[in-house]
Amino acid sequence: MPPSIHPVDLILALRDKHLTPAIVFLTSRRACDEAMQAFDHSQVLLPPIRQQAIAAVLEKVIVQYPSIAEHPLIPTVQRIGVAAHHAGHLPSWKIAVEELMRHGCLDAVFATTTLAAGVDFPARTVIITQSSIRKSRDFTDLTIGEVQQIAGRAGRRGKDLVGFAIVTPSPYIDLNVLTKGFTGHPEAINSQFLISYPMVLNLLKAHPLDQIQPILAKSFAQFQLNQRAEVLERKLDGLREQMEPFGPRVCTDWITEWQTFDQVRRQKSHRAPARKHEPPEITARFHFLTPGRVVGIGRSRGVVLRQYRSKGQKSPMITALRQGGGITESPASTVTEVSDRVLDCVDAPVYPWCTPESVEELLRHLEELPGRLPELPILIPKEDEPIPDAIVQTLGDFACPTCPSRSACQRDYPHASKLRQEQQRHLKSIQALRTSLWHRFQGKIDVLQEFGYLTPTAHLTDDGEWARLIRIDHSLLITELIRAEAFNGADPAMLAAVMSSIAHDDDRPGAFPRVSSGLGSLLGQVRKLALSLSPHEDPPLLRADIAAVTERWIGDPSLTWIGLCKSTTMAEGDIYRLLARTLEFLSQLHTLKATHPGLADTASRAIANLRRGVLEELP
Amino acid sequence: MTTQELEQLLAQQPIALLHRLARGRVQRHFRAGKRRLIEILLRHSAENRAGFESDLMILIGERPPLPIPPAPQAPAARKPKPSTPQHRAIHRPAEQDSHEPAITLSSWLDGLGVPPPKPFVTDAWQEDAIAKLREGDVVVSVPTGSGKTYVAVEAARRAIAENRTVIYTSPLKALSNTKYTEFSKIFGADQVGILTGDRRDNGQAPLLIMTTEILRNLLYDAGGGEIDIRLDTLGLVILDESQYIADPERGVVWEETIIFCPGQARLLLLSASIGNPHDIAEWLTSIRPTPCHLVRHSTRTVPLRAGYLHPNGKLMPLFRTVGIPHGHPSHLHPEAKRLFTQYEDETLPTGRRR
Ligand SMILES: Nc1ncnc2c1ncn2[C@@H]1O[C@H](COP(=O)(O)OP(=O)(O)OP(=O)(O)O)[C@@H](O)[C@H]1O
Ligand SMILES: [Mg+2]
């Protein structure tokens, strides 16, 4: 049995049951392209009338988007009435496929699930071949909402009486995720309120500091935090009721009084308090020293392969893969730094505790990591604080031993103190829920003050006035580069190239042209600055090969799109997206014309060069 | 339990359960087929066998009972499963339909086809959304393909007729371009403009299309004192696909846009089905000058059926019922279930494909 149905058989089966047109969602672009290739050797041919209909629609699209006139997929699409639609294609080609689909010219489109939201065309049938989706480097199960978005493409209003969502298995499928998705209610959605530097600058431009908190309070984030706080407040009300019988007794705060008394009493009875042989910070850290965690050991760096406790002393130990390839066993106490980075590793039950491929992979990642990594914030629980000697000596001063409510206190203390602890925990959480946005905002203010974009009274400095116009990712790096005059003397091609290496966040490898030496040294400078800013802003990938693609396109106006595509292994659609993102970044630099006329001018010349051929077709 | 017994028990479980068991134990477990997953799990169980077995028993206990064919009950003879709460086995009324014979392929396919042409009649929810926009903001949360665009178009038409500017935003440039073409056909090319970072095509038109980021930037510029676009005549802001507010990276842009949207403009949020649209509506009501009205429904206009296509080309219904059994994910068609289990057993680890 093949692990999944052959694309040609799939389409034939669908045609046979009148289930076309269909959208077939596949796991990857490659799967889509391979499906298309599978038809090249098949005898599935469209009748001439349908071939002509396709040609007629394409002709109209080509008038508007001449770049696809020579598209290599046109003959296949026309012959078999099936097309692929994914992010590796040019937008104009995707528009052509959508147009064909709207006219009912195609039997099927092979698309990737990643773009389910961007696929704005329905069909009679949707084919689902997977239950998880790649999201930033890892696969996660589809949510109910996502399954319904995908399946929901089936059934066109006015053209279908019913729609069909058909699951066909592939090796990684989990049917339960899909059946739950079909039959369940979509999940509630949650706010994802990221506070960015440009947000802080723009808010402070328009409003004085003391008005910021009420503005943040208007966010959906705060609305949802308040909902959680209200739940806790209701719990608090309940606790308050339960606490009623434990109100003031002979002393107003009998719980604390009894607690201190009780502790002192116990401490006296055990002369030597039990010593924990393990400092709490080691215990707290040990939880995080799991396979794949990047740590600092002494002065070098390593990746944890496993954690265990030593046989005799039961002391916490780790096995780590060190820079250079050594594998060492070290006590957890020698770990000097726990980073927030966890690398993928496939663990194995015997030494070296992960697969040999993993070791290689880990080593490679280890070498590629930036010099500084953000540290994982680890909360260290406080050790039971010893009672100050002064109190111990005053045991005789406690009223408890002779107090009339002593037995009641002794009886009630465990329950009452638990209630009170819970109360205090809730109070703390509520406090945190109410103020967390503001604290995060203040954190950003601190950084902007440190760098001189804000005055100590949180007004915009001269630099802040223009920096607020840069409202893209990595804004701090870009504004710092401008302040360091890094772009002085850079030509449009170099400026655009640097912007594209900042904008590009895909680490898919490929073969690319080389950078010019001028660009190479400029990128070196950018990289250094990006690393120094890493405590405040995640550094971008800054790939030189990506920069080179942009440099060629801008630097050589006679270069054709085909010529550019040939110089790299990047897919057409990816090059397009790279340049479109670069355009966005450049257009932000262009808004600085009042304060940085030279830079703005270089940016606008770069934009003019960039917007040609394919890149001119769409707004 | 011997290792062999454990292996057998694991093999009897559906792969989803094995994945749940593997969570936190095995990295990248979702990549493994059933056989391979069992192998890996067995190896891992050596470390903490007792813990592993008890987790397995808990997971097995949690599973809803398989639909049992109607047969005279003989409870005494049945071996109780460990930690299976007894009440789970109690016959629930909802289980009723699973006792009916599962449907056939032909009745599942029955009804397929093209409806006779009908004059366009607006749906009640569409009317409702358009009418409520007169009184305040509106949040629409309906299934994919219901006809949200119609609401956007009609609302825009009314606002334009009152000499107001309308801004329509979508999360993706590709969608903006599609809508630009679509709206230009409906309203006429001179009535529609599109704004991107560096280009402004027909920027004076009454209906402007842009991505949500561009609108957010316009609103910031207005806040900073530079009035760029005619925000004072802005009458309506339409945020399409507004479930993007939950996007980890870009979601905040929707919040900023909504917070800074001028009070005199109405907000129309169009969203696919989400679990808590009332939260969004309540939030808008709490921060906007006019109360927000929620329009939601979850029935699809074109009914949906789910099927299963075996790699050998055999097609069958996925569920026992013609339609989708909402709330009953386990009401699988027995044939689909059998073949899928078989598929899981047969998909060998990569490299050993037959
Ligand atoms: N009242 C109606 N009667 C018949 N057909 C309608 C009606 N309203 C909309 N339609 C049609 O339904 C189809 C889907 O509409 P539309 O694209 O607006 O859906 P949507 O809700 O925006 O879906 P999506 O979630 O994909 O964005 C369109 O072809 C539209 O013409
Ligand atoms: Mg829509």
Side-chain angles (χ1 to χ4, degrees):
Chain A
M1 164 100 52
S4 47
I5 190 165
H6 190 274
V8 176
D9 296 340
L10 171 66
I11 301 307
L12 290 178
L14 294 176
R15 272 194 198 159
D16 179 48
K17 296 274 190 289
H18 306 286
L19 286 167
T20 55
I23 304 172
V24 183
F25 284 109
L26 296 176
T27 31
S28 64
R29 297 175 188 185
R30 219 176 76 198
C32 294
D33 294 339
E34 283 170 2
M36 287 299 287
Q37 282 158 20
F39 283 91
D40 278 343
H41 313 288
S42 77
Q43 302 303 316
V44 195
L45 281 186
L46 283 189
I49 301 192
R50 286 196 53 194
Q51 298 206 13
Q52 283 151 21
I54 294 180
V57 172
L58 282 178
E59 215 165 284
K60 271 199 207 138
V61 182
I62 290 170
V63 173
Q64 211 180 346
Y65 309 107
S67 64
I68 57 162
E70 303 290 313
H71 203 284
L73 282 174
I74 287 181
T76 321
V77 170
Q78 215 166 318
R79 214 176 60 236
I80 57 175
V82 168
H85 181 286
H86 59 66
H89 292 135
L90 282 180
S92 44
W93 174 251
K94 292 197 281 187
I95 290 174
V97 172
E98 288 164 25
E99 204 57 21
L100 287 170
M101 206 59 181
R102 275 188 210 108
H103 283 84
C105 294
L106 300 180
D107 279 345
V109 168
F110 292 100
T112 50
T113 321
T114 348
L115 273 184
V119 177
D120 193 25
F121 51 86
R124 173 171 290 172
T125 303
V126 161
I127 305 288
I128 302 175
T129 60
Q130 79 213 81
S131 58
S132 53
I133 178 174
R134 202 180 133 106
K135 274 182 202 154
S136 56
R137 303 186 110 215
D138 225 344
F139 281 84
T140 41
D141 283 349
L142 291 168
T143 63
I144 296 175
E146 284 164 342
V147 171
Q148 295 189 354
Q149 277 261 49
I150 294 169
R153 302 268 159 224
R156 301 157 295 175
R157 263 198 109 162
K159 288 190 191 162
D160 290 312
L161 286 166
V162 266
F164 295 87
I166 298 176
V167 178
T168 185
S170 68
Y172 309 133
I173 205 160
D174 180 345
L175 196 59
N176 282 29
V177 171
L178 296 175
T179 52
K180 245 176 58 194
F182 285 135
T183 57
H185 283 291
E187 296 83 358
I189 59 173
N190 289 314
S191 166
Q192 307 284 342
F193 200 78
L194 294 178
I195 295 176
S196 61
Y197 296 116
M199 179 200 281
V200 174
L201 288 175
N202 282 291
L203 281 184
L204 287 171
K205 163 76 181 175
H207 311 273
L209 185 61
D210 56 7
Q211 280 176 24
I212 298 295
Q213 230 177 329
I215 293 176
L216 293 176
K218 286 169 109 185
S219 64
F220 187 48
Q222 191 59 56
F223 179 85
Q224 291 197 305
L225 291 171
N226 287 346
Q227 283 182 328
R228 282 162 56 191
E230 277 153 27
V231 171
L232 290 182
E233 264 160 13
R234 274 196 296 278
K235 279 196 191 156
L236 262 188
D237 288 344
L239 283 172
R240 223 164 274 139
E241 246 165 60
Q242 291 180 49
M243 286 288 278
E244 246 154 47
F246 310 123
R249 292 186 175 166
V250 175
C251 33
T252 12
D253 187 5
W254 67 266
I255 301 179
T256 313
E257 192 74 14
W258 180 266
Q259 181 181 21
T260 328
F261 167 69
D262 197 43
Q263 268 177 9
V264 171
R265 202 173 53 157
R266 278 164 205 271
Q267 217 164 38
K268 286 232 149 164
S269 61
H270 307 279
R271 255 178 313 132
R275 263 264 155 262
K276 267 204 212 144
H277 57 267
E278 204 169 286
E281 63 268 19
I282 300 283
T283 319
R285 271 184 168 191
F286 196 48
H287 293 298
F288 294 94
L289 301 179
T290 48
R293 169 80 59 193
V294 178
V295 292
I297 305 172
R299 287 176 164 241
S300 78
R301 196 177 265 170
V303 189
V304 178
L305 295 176
R306 68 155 183 168
Q307 57 157 264
Y308 60 101
R309 285 196 177 262
S310 66
K311 284 234 168 70
Q313 295 289 309
K314 295 275 173 245
S315 45
M317 302 283 292
I318 57 166
T319 308
L321 174 66
R322 310 286 287 263
Q323 265 169 331
I327 295 181
T328 56
E329 316 282 334
S330 347
S333 55
T334 57
V335 171
T336 47
E337 190 187 311
V338 184
S339 86
D340 74 348
R341 217 53 81 85
V342 179
L343 304 177
D344 285 337
C345 72
V346 183
D347 40 4
V350 292
Y351 182 90
W353 316 108
C354 68
T355 61
E357 302 89 65
S358 266
V359 172
E360 264 169 45
E361 184 113 323
L362 288 174
L363 260 182
R364 200 165 45 74
H365 281 306
L366 202 52
E367 303 303 334
E368 281 169 2
L369 286 174
R372 264 180 76 171
L373 287 177
E375 275 204 55
L376 194 71
I378 297 178
L379 282 181
I380 298 163
K382 266 200 226 125
E383 249 183 308
D384 287 343
E385 270 173 37
I387 312 250
D389 283 348
I391 297 187
V392 179
Q393 280 161 12
T394 57
L395 182 56
D397 297 349
F398 277 103
C400 298
T402 53
C403 177
S405 73
R406 166 180 175 155
S407 60
C409 290
Q410 182 157 18
R411 184 191 64 226
D412 292 342
Y413 172 74
H415 187 52
S417 76
K418 213 157 90 204
L419 289 177
R420 194 160 77 174
Q421 271 172 16
E422 215 170 313
Q423 226 175 7
Q424 278 161 353
R425 224 182 43 233
H426 288 338
L427 277 171
K428 256 194 211 154
S429 311
I430 291 170
Q431 179 70 11
L433 289 168
R434 300 264 186 227
T435 55
S436 68
L437 282 187
W438 175 237
H439 286 314
R440 275 159 53 198
F441 195 90
Q442 278 176 321
K444 295 282 181 206
I445 290 185
D446 291 345
V447 175
L448 288 167
Q449 282 173 335
E450 184 189 326
F451 280 87
Y453 294 101
L454 287 175
T455 65
T457 52
H459 290 88
L460 270 62
T461 61
D462 286 347
D463 281 335
E465 283 288 345
W466 60 262
R468 80 187 166 84
L469 297 173
I470 305 297
R471 296 155 182 160
I472 33 186
D473 295 345
H474 307 294
S475 58
L476 186 61
L477 172 62
I478 293 171
T479 55
E480 282 300 290
L481 282 169
I482 295 172
R483 288 169 94 193
E485 305 195 335
F487 299 125
N488 281 16
D491 60 16
M494 236 149 87
L495 178 65
V498 171
M499 283 299 136
S500 70
S501 74
I502 295 176
H504 190 76
D505 53 8
D506 192 345
D507 58 359
R508 235 177 296 213
F512 299 94
R514 297 172 58 82
V515 290
S516 68
S517 63
L519 177 55
S521 74
L522 180 52
L523 276 175
Q525 200 184 333
V526 176
R527 200 164 289 130
K528 228 159 80 192
L529 187 57
L531 277 184
S532 76
L533 294 177
S534 62
H536 312 296
E537 186 178 84
D538 282 340
L541 288 176
L542 293 172
R543 290 175 56 169
D545 50 359
I546 290 293
V549 173
T550 309
E551 187 185 31
R552 289 198 66 183
W553 180 249
I554 314 268
D556 177 6
S558 65
L559 183 65
T560 61
W561 181 252
I562 312 263
L564 181 68
C565 292
K566 278 200 182 128
S567 71
T568 143
T569 54
M570 245 171 133
E572 236 182 347
D574 290 327
I575 307 178
Y576 183 96
R577 222 175 359 269
L578 167 71
L579 292 174
R581 281 265 284 170
T582 307
L583 192 74
E584 245 166 67
F585 276 45
L586 286 169
S587 62
Q588 300 253 311
L589 295 185
H590 182 64
T591 60
L592 302 184
K593 44 191 178 292
T595 48
H596 301 76
L599 179 68
D601 180 57
T602 313
S604 88
R605 278 189 292 148
I607 292 175
N609 278 358
L610 196 154
R611 278 266 198 207
R612 65 176 202 270
V614 179
L615 282 138
E616 213 180 9
E617 287 181 349
L618 287 164
Chain B
M1 208 184 296
T2 67
T3 304
Q4 213 174 8
E5 279 167 358
L6 181 61
E7 185 174 3
Q8 267 173 10
L9 188 61
L10 286 172
Q12 286 161 9
Q13 305 310 319
I15 187 146
L17 186 144
L18 300 183
H19 280 303
R20 282 179 67 192
L21 194 60
R23 239 166 245 176
R25 287 193 163 87
V26 183
Q27 297 214 1
R28 300 201 158 262
H29 56 85
F30 41 79
R31 287 181 168 269
K34 189 167 180 179
R35 285 275 165 84
R36 172 107 185 100
L37 197 53
I38 293 175
E39 273 170 32
I40 303 175
L41 282 172
L42 278 176
R43 255 194 278 140
H44 268 265
S45 69
E47 277 175 21
N48 179 2
R49 182 67 172 260
F52 181 82
E53 282 179 16
S54 82
D55 282 2
L56 174 62
M57 290 335 258
I58 289 170
L59 282 176
I60 293 176
E62 271 178 7
R63 262 176 62 209
L66 306 174
I68 307 155
Q73 292 263 324
R78 187 157 291 150
K79 212 164 53 179
K81 271 189 195 158
S83 78
T84 306
Q86 208 53 48
H87 65 265
R88 283 185 186 275
I90 291 171
H91 181 83
R92 275 176 295 165
E95 219 89 296
Q96 205 93 55
D97 40 5
S98 73
H99 290 223
E100 282 167 21
I103 47 135
T104 59
L105 177 64
S106 60
S107 54
W108 182 75
L109 283 168
D110 192 38
L112 177 157
V114 182
K118 264 191 295 188
F120 186 92
V121 183
T122 44
D123 293 343
W125 67 268
Q126 289 172 324
E127 292 286 354
D128 187 29
I130 297 162
K132 287 302 191 318
L133 214 42
R134 296 213 161 272
E135 290 148 36
D137 301 335
V138 171
V139 170
V140 175
S141 171
V142 296
T144 313
S146 297
K148 293 184 283 284
T149 315
Y150 176 82
V151 177
V153 167
E154 277 317 300
R157 200 191 298 282
R158 288 174 194 210
I160 294 170
E162 288 165 12
N163 275 329
R164 297 250 157 211
T165 309
V166 179
I167 291 179
Y168 168 96
T169 81
S170 85
L172 304 165
K173 252 188 173 171
L175 282 179
S176 293
N177 285 326
T178 313
K179 290 296 175 206
Y180 184 40
T181 315
E182 189 178 338
F183 291 170
S184 296
K185 275 186 201 145
I186 297 174
F187 291 100
D190 58 323
Q191 296 290 297
V192 190
I194 188 163
L195 265 61
T196 62
D198 70 315
R199 238 156 92 167
R200 186 161 284 194
D201 292 6
N202 208 6
Q204 292 309 306
L207 172 54
L208 295 171
I209 296 171
M210 58 192 84
T211 59
T212 315
E213 269 84 357
I214 299 281
L215 174 56
R216 190 268 319 263
N217 289 352
L218 287 180
L219 294 174
Y220 270 143
D221 288 340
E226 309 108 83
I227 302 279
D228 193 67
I229 215 86
R230 292 139 289 141
L231 286 182
D232 47 334
T233 63
L234 188 61
L236 174 66
V237 172
I238 304 168
L239 305 179
D240 202 355
E241 309 287 344
S242 45
Q243 71 275 9
Y244 257 78
I245 197 168
D247 185 87
E249 274 144 36
R250 297 173 56 202
V252 61
V253 178
W254 273 255
E255 294 198 37
E256 291 172 275
T257 305
I258 290 167
I259 297 171
F260 299 116
C261 177
Q264 95 276 354
R266 289 286 143 81
L267 267 173
L268 172 58
L269 269 60
L270 303 176
S271 152
S273 286
I274 54 172
N276 54 343
H278 47 270
D279 281 346
I280 307 271
E282 216 176 286
W283 166 52
L284 281 179
T285 300
S286 74
I287 64 164
R288 301 268 306 160
T290 56
C292 173
H293 185 77
L294 171 63
V295 175
R296 77 181 296 194
H297 73 88
S298 46
T299 20
R300 285 179 41 96
T301 343
V302 180
L304 193 65
R305 296 178 190 173
Y308 175 77
L309 179 67
H310 204 53
N312 66 6
K314 190 164 161 29
L315 179 68
M316 67 209 71
L318 179 63
F319 295 109
R320 308 177 62 92
T321 47
V322 173
I324 285 174
H326 292 285
H328 300 286
S330 60
H331 285 194
L332 290 181
H333 196 278
E335 186 65 359
K337 190 173 171 164
R338 187 180 67 78
L339 283 175
F340 183 74
T341 316
Q342 188 186 330
Y343 173 84
E344 282 192 325
D345 289 341
E346 283 177 16
T347 1
L348 294 166
T350 35
R352 280 171 60 198
R353 207 177 294 153
R354 268 199 298 245

